[in-house]
Amino acid sequence: GEDVEQSLFLSVREGDSSVINCTYTDSSSTYLYWYKQEPGAGLQLLTYIFSNMDMKQDQRLTVLLNKKDKHLSLRIADTQTGDSAIYFCAESSHQGGKLIFGQGTELSVKP
Amino acid sequence: NAGVTQTPKFRVLKTGQSMTLLCAQDMNHEYMYWYRQDPGMGLRLIHYSVGEGTTAKGEVPDGYNVSRLKKQNFLLGLESAAPSQTSVYFCASSGQFSNEQFFGPGTRLTVL
């Protein structure tokens, strides 16, 4: 079945770049997402990318997609302490469809 | 707009008790979802609904039932709670042609 994998933890210093990686198995994935979860809260959509794109940039966020290797990454430039959260990768095969989530990567930003 | 709301926020049950979690959305969304979140396992889909009066099983449906009698509400029921159902439960909704699911704040359930 479909599977999405992420490493569980990442620690960076304030001001550095963070790179969170994700791999997925479903070759029919059409949409790939990054969600952010702050402590005690629900998930918020950060950004998403269509499978026919290689890259998407949105202010400090850069998403890279390697469809051949089924690898997705999220780069956060100039990481701030407010970026500390759990980041989830997710995939879907169609708009409005159910999402398959990775385990989440807990990002810790040290001053 | 309140977005997606969930009640209750916290609940403690004894094994064998039943309860219903309520999710409400005011965005006129067609699709609604129930997930559970467990440490190191991300979010797993329990049940979902693509419209009023319709429901479908997700990845981990056993031990749960759902109903979508009104478009704005999606209820998750536990008929006989088990300790394995201790988790944080999230409801989400999305438009039919949308790429974004909107999440509620979660319900923390403990089954003793």
Side-chain angles (χ1 to χ4, degrees):
Chain A
E2 305 119 341
D3 195 21
V4 179
E5 296 281 339
Q6 299 176 241
S7 53
L8 294 183
F9 301 100
L10 176 65
S11 180
V12 300
R13 291 234 173 255
E14 193 173 20
D16 288 350
S17 290
S18 308
V19 179
I20 302 171
N21 295 301
C22 170
T23 58
Y24 60 98
T25 59
D26 188 359
S27 56
S28 67
S29 295
T30 306
Y31 302 92
L32 294 132
Y33 304 83
W34 285 104
Y35 278 82
K36 177 182 180 183
Q37 183 183 32
E38 295 183 350
L43 279 68
Q44 281 187 296
L45 180 66
L46 278 181
T47 186
Y48 65 91
I49 189 169
F50 295 115
S51 59
N52 63 357
M53 298 169 65
D54 298 325
M55 185 181 87
K56 182 178 181 181
Q57 189 150 2
D58 183 1
Q59 299 182 335
R60 292 191 297 122
L61 305 179
T62 303
V63 178
L64 295 178
L65 175 61
N66 181 326
K67 197 173 179 183
K68 175 175 168 289
D69 294 338
K70 298 191 182 73
H71 182 267
L72 183 74
S73 68
L74 174 70
R75 179 177 180 268
I76 305 173
D78 186 25
T79 313
Q80 302 297 306
T81 54
D83 294 323
S84 293
I86 301 176
Y87 291 81
F88 289 94
C89 169
E91 62 91 10
S92 176
S93 59
H94 61 278
Q95 270 183 323
K98 51 185 179 169
L99 297 175
I100 305 295
F101 285 89
Q103 305 95 317
T105 299
E106 183 174 349
L107 174 65
S108 174
V109 183
K110 301 193 185 313
Chain B
N1 283 355
V4 180
T5 58
Q6 293 182 232
T7 51
K9 288 185 168 47
F10 303 93
R11 186 72 186 268
V12 179
L13 290 179
K14 293 181 179 177
T15 297
Q17 287 185 317
S18 63
M19 77 162 296
T20 300
L21 281 66
L22 171 63
C23 176
Q25 52 95 3
D26 60 3
M27 296 173 282
N28 200 34
H29 284 166
E30 290 292 330
Y31 293 3
M32 296 187 75
Y33 310 84
W34 274 108
Y35 295 91
R36 59 177 288 172
Q37 182 179 25
D38 301 293
M41 300 186 75
L43 275 75
R44 293 180 292 168
L45 183 65
I46 304 171
H47 286 280
Y48 64 103
S49 168
V50 299
E52 182 179 320
T54 71
T55 63
K57 293 180 180 179
E59 188 184 353
V60 288
D62 294 342
Y64 305 94
N65 57 73
V66 287
S67 64
R68 183 105 181 264
L69 298 179
K70 294 182 180 180
K71 186 177 183 179
Q72 63 267 34
N73 295 337
F74 195 29
L75 278 63
L76 178 71
L78 286 74
E79 288 186 351
S80 179
S84 60
Q85 293 178 303
T86 293
S87 188
V88 181
Y89 291 85
F90 287 100
C91 176
S93 71
S94 70
Q96 190 175 0
F97 303 107
S98 169
N99 279 307
E100 182 171 5
Q101 288 188 16
F102 292 82
F103 282 79
T107 295
R108 186 173 293 275
L109 175 67
T110 301
V111 183
L112 302 175

